[in-house]
Amino acid sequence: MSYTVAKGNQRVDPDQVGEAGKIPEGVVDLRSDTVTRPTPEMRRAMAEAEVGDDVYGEDPTVNRLERRAAEIFGKEAALFVPTGCMGNLICIKVWTHHGDEVICEERSHVNLYELASMSAIAGCMPRVARGEDGILTWKQIEAVIRPKIYYDSQTALVCLENTSNMAGGTVYSTAQVEDICDHAHKMGLKVHLDGARIFNAATALGDHVAVMTRKVDSVMFCLSKGLGAPVGSMIAGTKAFIEKARVYRKMFGGGMRQAGVIAAASLIALEKSPARLHIDHENAKRLAEGIAEIPGLSIDPNKVRSNIVIFDCSKTGKTAVELCDALHPHGVWAQDTALYSVRVVTHCDVDRAGIERALVVLKEVVARTQRAGAS
Ligand SMILES: *Cc1c(COP(=O)(O)O)cnc(C)c1O
């Protein structure tokens, strides 16, 4: 069996990225907010970070980051983990036993993009439900909960995703999350929140993450996306939960030593980046409005609430891969997410001028493919 490294996503020639690993000059990289580079302030903090062995609990910078994250989220404790995937897996592992079911949205990251780790490693079955715009309601969740019969596998956990990535960065309101938590808890189920982009959700809602996550049993969020840190995610919950999570982090190979070097950048990301996310959201809105005006592309800009824009390109006669390939030589990088779906994500390394340039290129490339198709 053979794999591609990244289904057409790998756009930078590894040998040609230049000394600082910079995105080539003039490129508007909208594939994901994971491509963000650390700021000079982060790089300085990394160079100067106080470090120790974090497996012994002795890295002062990691400890500071974990205390600060717990404080911001209003939780008892937090844990620094290498990736969001590991963070989600650790939480799923803590809340379940082998053979349990985990309810999640059909398009959710835990279901589609984590290599079935909840099955392969935690021994659980994803039980999917389809939510409108990726947002589940208690009614939809309730419908897939297993009855308490000994020959049925049992539901243990509900996993929500806010913002909902593959639904186009849609947002759960705090009331929606709390309604699900109240009902789930009454039935003895735990609720984990994949909050990879929880700060984007907070920005969209004008709400505080501590309020938004008050009732969930665990939350994971990424430092390495819109917040701009080079590496890392965090999970937060009760002290007892984090004690167990720490064991699984080590078991899964995520016990890091002098991790203060990356935690130092994460501290800056956590303190400073949330306040600027509204800029990314305004840029995404502009992008969506511009895309809606391009003949052949379809999107409802009113549904764009955060930094993710997913549009349909089926009327161009091109697949999403073909369209992304056609955009690439013009310095606009996008990502196919389905046969006719293209995702563009705004972030701190793309400014308004970049957005306008992306729209000009997109319009021209689509028009050209349609002229070519007509002849
Ligand atoms: C990015 C992402 C993750 C975790 O990704 P890592 O690359 O492992 O850090 C988890 N959930 C969602 C919704 C994501 O977008």
Side-chain angles (χ1 to χ4, degrees):
M1 190 160 44
S2 75
Y3 298 97
T4 55
V5 171
K7 198 181 67 169
N9 299 342
Q10 193 184 25
R11 298 295 186 182
V12 182
D13 178 342
D15 296 327
Q16 301 206 329
V17 289
E19 284 155 61
K22 284 245 182 329
I23 297 171
E25 197 68 42
V27 165
V28 184
D29 191 349
L30 299 169
R31 290 171 301 168
S32 176
D33 45 9
T34 56
V35 301
T36 46
R37 307 311 211 252
T39 61
E41 185 187 9
M42 288 178 190
R43 287 178 185 270
R44 268 196 307 278
M46 292 169 80
E48 290 160 11
E50 260 190 280
V51 295
D53 191 328
D54 182 52
V55 173
Y56 299 161
E58 290 173 2
D59 188 295
T61 311
V62 171
N63 291 341
R64 201 146 54 85
L65 174 66
E66 292 179 344
R67 273 199 307 275
R68 190 64 188 119
E71 190 175 60
I72 289 171
F73 278 78
K75 300 286 186 198
E76 286 174 15
L79 189 70
F80 189 41
V81 292
T83 65
C85 286
M86 188 187 284
N88 280 335
L89 176 60
I90 290 169
C91 295
I92 289 170
K93 184 66 201 137
V94 170
W95 296 131
T96 61
H97 292 109
H98 275 62
D100 283 343
E101 288 191 355
V102 175
I103 295 174
C104 53
E105 214 273 337
E106 203 175 287
R107 291 159 282 180
S108 62
H109 202 276
V110 291
N111 187 45
L112 295 181
Y113 304 110
E114 303 192 3
L115 301 102
S117 64
M118 80 160 81
S119 306
I121 301 174
C124 292
M125 289 280 282
R127 184 71 196 268
V128 299
R130 177 92 180 178
E132 198 186 333
D133 295 322
I135 305 298
L136 290 172
T137 63
W138 174 251
K139 246 187 152 59
Q140 291 158 343
I141 292 167
E142 193 179 26
V144 292
I145 293 174
R146 286 310 195 90
K148 292 257 173 227
I149 300 176
Y150 84 90
Y151 51 75
D152 279 1
S153 49
Q154 290 295 296
T155 311
L157 179 67
V158 175
C159 184
L160 305 177
E161 186 177 304
N162 202 13
T163 65
S164 176
N165 182 350
M166 282 301 142
T170 51
V171 181
Y172 277 90
S173 72
T174 302
Q176 284 170 315
V177 172
E178 296 202 338
D179 181 59
I180 291 168
C181 290
D182 287 342
H183 282 101
H185 290 157
K186 250 181 245 156
M187 298 193 68
L189 307 177
K190 298 291 184 188
V191 179
H192 168 65
L193 179 64
D194 175 348
R197 297 185 179 81
I198 190 70
F199 286 99
N200 294 92
T203 301
L205 293 173
D207 214 340
H208 194 285
V209 291
V211 177
M212 293 164 63
T213 62
R214 199 166 53 102
K215 292 197 175 181
V216 300
D217 299 286
S218 56
V219 56
M220 183 285 289
F221 70 94
C222 293
L223 295 152
S224 56
K225 292 185 174 165
L227 302 188
V231 180
S233 291
M234 305 209 71
I235 57 181
T238 63
K239 238 189 195 133
F241 165 79
I242 291 296
E243 266 170 35
K244 290 181 190 153
R246 192 182 297 280
V247 174
Y248 288 122
R249 181 183 67 173
K250 188 78 175 94
M251 188 187 283
F252 298 158
M256 298 180 285
R257 302 295 176 171
Q258 283 71 41
V261 172
I262 47 176
S266 295
L267 268 163
I268 293 166
L270 189 57
E271 299 293 355
K272 299 209 166 161
S273 300
R276 62 154 306 285
L277 291 176
H278 68 97
I279 300 169
D280 300 341
H281 294 193
E282 288 152 19
N283 284 340
K285 197 70 159 182
R286 167 69 192 125
L287 200 48
E289 284 164 359
I291 289 168
E293 287 171 5
I294 298 175
L297 304 183
S298 332
I299 181 164
D300 180 357
N302 293 319
K303 288 195 171 173
V304 173
R305 295 195 60 198
S306 58
N307 69 328
I308 299 177
V309 178
I310 296 180
F311 60 91
D312 179 278
C313 65
S314 54
K315 294 204 185 79
T316 63
K318 293 269 175 216
T319 64
V321 172
E322 287 167 343
L323 183 57
C324 292
D325 285 347
L327 290 169
H328 183 247
H330 301 283
V332 174
W333 297 357
Q335 189 162 112
D336 61 293
T337 53
L339 192 54
Y340 293 106
S341 288
V342 176
R343 188 184 75 162
V344 279
V345 183
T346 59
H347 52 77
C348 57
D349 287 350
V350 174
D351 60 10
R352 182 54 73 100
I355 297 298
E356 297 299 340
R357 223 170 69 68
L359 283 171
V360 169
V361 168
L362 198 50
K363 190 172 174 185
E364 180 49 37
V365 166
V366 169
R368 204 176 306 156
T369 65
Q370 289 182 324
R371 277 199 300 274
S375 60

